[in-house]
Amino acid sequence: MTAQVDRTAGTAGTAGTAGVAGTAEAAGAGRAARAPGTVRRRVLVGAAALLMLTGGATIAHGAADGTDGAPAPDGGGHAAHSTGTGTGAGEAGPVGGASRSGGFYMRADGVFSPPGSFVPSDALTYDTALVPAAARIEITQYADRTSHRVGTRLRGLVPNRAYGMHVHTSPCAADPASAGPHYQHRASATADPVNEVWLDFRTDRNGNGEAGARHEWGFRDGGARSVIVHDAQGGAGRRVACFTVPFSS
């Protein structure tokens, strides 16, 4: 009887152990089956979060005149230069739609980060006290047969402060001087908003601002490559930030 009880107990114990082991093995297999997807999802989410924190840029192109979902450029403003205060740049989205006027539309937006950041950005801040890391910028360009317009919207800057901004001839780099001089329609020794693209603006209480410039002339092919944010309005000022922009001619 004792031997039989021992054998029965042993069999039950073996079966119980095997059952537990099988359950554990099945659970382990389930975790192993799920692990690759989980890891991939975590890597993708982590990379996206890192890009948002450290800066980046997105670009959208398309023909537009305010139809089929494409935002219409502002038709008002001074003949050469107009400024205002807004609520800040929105997220980049698709731009498109047929253009009755035969024009084109470009939008580029970026998140400022200091030169040498882990994730490179086309938007560089050289003074984080005036243009904080993670501040945002959007540049739009619209041209048709009769006019050429460039606009900007920014958010996350110093509240209630005046900034200067101009289109420059070269891309941004770690050295602020690398962006070159102001883009000029005709070579001139003086700076003015009729011969150049000035986008001076003043931020609101939330640190957001916007500006626009309109001319009858457009850019030469490859002649305009960036915008520089200055610490003062007017024809000059210290360069505090830069954004490389794929302007079209």
Side-chain angles (χ1 to χ4, degrees):
M1 180 68 69
T2 303
Q4 185 177 0
V5 170
D6 288 343
R7 285 196 300 272
T8 304
T11 302
T14 302
T17 303
V20 172
T23 303
E25 183 178 357
R31 285 195 297 270
R34 292 193 300 269
T38 303
V39 170
R40 284 195 295 270
R41 286 194 295 272
R42 287 175 179 172
V43 169
L44 291 174
V45 171
L50 181 61
L51 180 61
M52 291 177 65
L53 289 173
T54 56
T58 58
I59 301 167
H61 295 267
D65 63 353
T67 60
D68 299 328
D74 181 10
H78 191 277
H81 185 218
S82 64
T83 64
T85 300
T87 58
E91 299 298 327
V95 176
S99 175
R100 291 189 298 270
S101 61
F104 69 88
Y105 183 87
M106 181 280 299
R107 179 177 64 201
D109 76 329
V111 180
F112 286 106
S113 63
S117 295
F118 180 72
V119 177
S121 174
D122 286 334
L124 300 177
T125 174
Y126 307 119
D127 186 340
T128 56
L130 295 180
V131 181
R136 301 185 68 91
I137 183 171
E138 176 188 271
I139 297 292
T140 57
Q141 179 190 14
Y142 176 82
D144 56 23
R145 290 187 293 267
T146 61
S147 66
H148 178 253
R149 283 164 273 181
V150 177
T152 185
R153 293 191 295 174
L154 302 98
R155 71 181 185 208
L157 305 185
V158 177
N160 301 313
R161 193 187 193 285
Y163 291 83
M165 181 185 287
H166 313 101
V167 172
H168 282 245
T169 60
S170 300
C172 308
D175 181 359
S178 297
H182 296 179
Y183 177 90
Q184 293 187 324
H185 178 52
R186 294 185 176 88
S188 174
T190 60
D192 68 76
V194 176
N195 192 43
E196 301 174 350
V197 179
W198 289 24
L199 298 165
D200 293 357
F201 63 94
R202 185 176 183 86
T203 57
D204 61 16
R205 63 181 181 178
N206 297 314
N208 306 325
E210 63 181 44
R214 180 177 180 177
H215 299 83
E216 294 180 356
W217 47 263
F219 295 132
R220 295 180 293 277
D221 187 24
R225 302 292 300 280
S226 64
V227 293
I228 285 280
V229 180
H230 297 269
D231 66 345
Q233 295 186 344
R238 185 168 59 89
R239 302 183 182 196
V240 296
C242 183
F243 181 35
T244 299
V245 183
F247 286 115
S248 298
S249 58

